[in-house]
Amino acid sequence: MIRPEDIRVVAWDFDGVLNRNVQDGVFAWSRGFAEDLGLSLDSFSSFLFQGRFQKAMVGEACLKELVTEWAAVNGAVGREGEILDYWFTSDALPDADVLAMVAQLRQRGIANVMATNNEIHRTAFIESDMGFDRHMDRIFAAGRMRVAKPDTDYFRHQEQELGMPGAHMLLVDDMAENVEAARSIGWQAFHFTEGAHDDLVAALGL
């Protein structure tokens, strides 16, 4: 049960919440990757998402270097910038309905922060190129914090940075394990699934 009267900070997940780029578990960038770039999605995904990206996500590897490494052995030498630009721009699909909620909350004096598991390069794109620095009071990203959800230290870090106890924090996230982790340390949390906009509006008392 969400207690709107106790909420002082809403921590928004990015992919699948603030950004409407995930449908049935599939990211927008991957749908046209092979056709638009003429490169193998299977090869790229297998190389990157079986451990390497997870290291980049917490600052233990560099995404640009990983994409450069893959490109060098897959007929795409020198195209790493193009690949990352395609990825980031194809996945840039802000959810206007969610941002409307953010605006209403800000009018009520409630702080809004981003709580994302993105690595540093895409975080910078989200922050500056997509302009989320204008919507969020703070952006907390796994790559900068060097810890990722659902590790409870991820949430503890935000409490410490904001000087806010968990009881006054609300996480809105599309991953059940992240919601459960936040709740386990006293946060309020809302599991945001596809089409849950109206339920979230009601839960926030908007």
Side-chain angles (χ1 to χ4, degrees):
M1 175 68 78
I2 304 299
R3 305 180 304 279
E5 67 277 6
D6 291 336
I7 298 170
R8 301 290 178 271
V9 179
V10 179
W12 301 89
D13 178 41
F14 184 69
D15 293 304
V17 179
L18 288 169
N19 198 43
R20 196 180 291 190
N21 62 326
V22 184
Q23 291 184 2
D24 299 322
V26 178
F27 285 81
W29 71 268
S30 67
R31 296 184 195 118
F33 183 90
E35 181 177 354
D36 294 340
L37 297 180
L39 299 170
S40 171
L41 175 64
D42 289 342
S43 172
F44 184 74
S45 297
S46 295
F47 173 85
L48 199 58
F49 298 116
Q50 292 185 4
R52 293 178 176 89
F53 181 78
Q54 288 78 359
K55 289 185 177 181
M57 191 167 67
V58 292
E60 296 175 359
C62 173
L63 180 61
K64 286 185 177 180
E65 292 177 359
L66 292 174
V67 174
T68 299
E69 181 183 346
W70 178 84
V73 295
N74 285 276
V77 174
R79 296 183 65 187
E80 53 274 0
E82 176 190 1
I83 292 167
L84 285 171
D85 183 63
Y86 180 86
W87 175 351
F88 294 175
T89 56
S90 296
D91 252 23
L93 299 167
D95 190 320
D97 295 328
V98 174
L99 288 176
M101 296 182 219
V102 170
Q104 290 181 62
L105 291 167
R106 296 184 82 173
Q107 290 174 356
R108 294 186 178 188
I110 295 173
N112 293 269
V113 303
M114 185 184 296
T116 179
N117 268 355
N118 271 291
E119 53 73 53
I120 59 171
H121 298 294
R122 185 156 178 255
T123 297
F125 178 89
I126 291 164
E127 187 173 49
S128 300
D129 295 67
M130 293 185 70
F132 270 88
D133 56 346
R134 299 192 299 270
H135 298 291
M136 298 287 115
D137 295 289
R138 290 280 298 272
I139 292 180
F140 293 100
R144 295 173 176 175
M145 296 160 57
R146 302 183 73 85
V147 62
K149 298 176 285 186
D151 192 321
T152 54
D153 285 345
Y154 181 95
F155 304 105
R156 293 296 190 198
H157 175 89
Q158 292 178 52
E159 291 177 7
Q160 293 167 6
E161 285 290 309
L162 299 170
M164 187 69 62
H168 294 309
M169 301 282 294
L170 171 69
L171 174 70
V172 181
D173 202 295
D174 64 339
M175 301 296 288
E177 58 264 38
N178 298 336
V179 168
E180 292 167 6
R183 286 174 177 161
S184 76
I185 60 167
W187 283 42
Q188 299 189 61
F190 182 92
H191 186 198
F192 188 89
T193 53
E194 290 183 39
H197 294 76
D198 290 344
D199 289 340
L200 180 55
V201 167
L204 291 169
L206 297 176

